[in-house]
Amino acid sequence: MVSPDGGVTMRVEADRGKCMGAGMCALNAPEVFDQDEDEGLVVVLESEPAAGHRFAVRDAANLCPASAITLIEEDAG
Ligand code: SF4
């Protein structure tokens, strides 16, 4: 049986040192990113997003104005 994500794993890392709290990530992928209440800096809710969230996560990474989001995608097979 083929898994829905094709055996590819995705890991998300966010650099709070670079983040400027623009909120694009939380807007694009609210299941995966949030912002803390004090500074508005990124919080990763789901560091290994489910297959159904990955499209939005890629968008969020591309749209982050601070390039603070790193995606590590690996072929688990
Ligand atoms: S989009 Fe980038 S700068 Fe904005 S909150 Fe998310 S990680 Fe931070």
Side-chain angles (χ1 to χ4, degrees):
M1 195 172 108
V2 178
S3 64
D5 58 9
V8 177
T9 60
M10 175 190 274
R11 206 149 45 81
V12 180
E13 290 175 0
D15 184 340
R16 287 169 55 90
K18 285 187 186 174
C19 174
M20 52 193 220
M24 293 301 289
C25 53
L27 202 66
N28 277 281
E31 300 87 354
V32 178
F33 300 103
D34 198 359
Q35 292 171 271
D36 72 41
E37 290 188 8
D38 294 335
E39 299 173 295
L41 299 182
V42 63
V43 176
V44 177
L45 302 174
E46 201 183 355
S47 60
E48 295 188 4
H53 294 160
R54 291 180 189 170
F55 190 81
V57 171
R58 287 191 196 99
D59 254 7
N62 288 334
L63 290 169
C64 173
S67 300
I69 299 170
T70 305
L71 304 182
I72 300 123
E73 295 190 72
E74 288 167 356
D75 190 340

